[in-house]
Amino acid sequence: MFKGFKDFLMRGNVVDLAVAVIIGAAFTTIVTAFTNGLIKPLISAVGGSDAAQGLGVRILSENPATFLDFGSVINAVINFLIVAAVIYFVIVLPVKTIQERRKRGEEAGPAEPTDVELLIEIRDLLRQQNRSDR
């Protein structure tokens, strides 16, 4: 049971996925700082007399909790579009291009193990299994 879990963790795509999540979170922080620091003040400047309230509408004038903050929604949409654009142009598009080249035969894919390499791996696994049974 633990061997299967270890094999799962040691596969390259799990490590790549973990790195991608960490880099994505760091990049999202940068984009959020950009939009909060530069874009949101511009949106707030457009929206009315109270700059802290920004672009929005207060439903009940005596209750500040009823403020509909359109500026924050616009800010979140801009965040999403920037992150999505970077992911598409930096990750998705290059990978798609490489896959198309491989289909056309212009670029070699990952090398398949030879029969000898597979037999050596099977032999080593059988030896290891026999040692653990003793």
Side-chain angles (χ1 to χ4, degrees):
M1 179 169 85
F2 288 113
K3 183 184 182 318
F5 182 67
K6 177 185 168 196
D7 291 343
F8 170 74
L9 288 179
M10 297 313 286
R11 288 192 333 203
N13 56 357
V14 173
V15 174
D16 292 342
L17 180 60
V19 169
V21 167
I22 292 168
I23 296 296
F27 181 72
T28 300
T29 303
I30 292 170
V31 172
T32 301
F34 170 77
T35 54
N36 284 338
L38 302 176
I39 304 294
K40 193 170 184 178
L42 295 174
I43 294 170
S44 294
V46 172
S49 61
D50 187 4
Q53 293 284 309
L55 181 63
V57 176
R58 185 177 292 170
I59 298 173
L60 301 173
S61 59
E62 65 278 354
N63 187 353
T66 62
F67 182 73
L68 300 176
D69 189 5
F70 299 121
S72 291
V73 174
I74 293 169
N75 195 38
V77 169
I78 292 170
N79 273 351
F80 172 77
L81 291 176
I82 291 171
V83 171
V86 169
I87 289 173
Y88 179 76
F89 288 111
V90 173
I91 297 173
V92 174
L93 199 59
V95 168
K96 192 180 288 188
T97 304
I98 290 171
Q99 288 174 342
E100 289 173 1
R101 285 181 185 168
R102 285 184 181 165
K103 283 181 184 176
R104 290 189 306 235
E106 293 176 9
E107 189 171 317
E112 295 284 328
T114 65
D115 292 341
V116 174
E117 291 172 334
L118 290 174
L119 290 171
I120 290 171
E121 185 177 343
I122 292 170
R123 180 198 66 200
D124 293 343
L125 288 171
L126 287 172
R127 282 183 185 165
Q128 183 181 12
Q129 184 179 16
N130 285 338
R131 288 182 190 145
S132 65
D133 287 341
R134 292 180 189 173

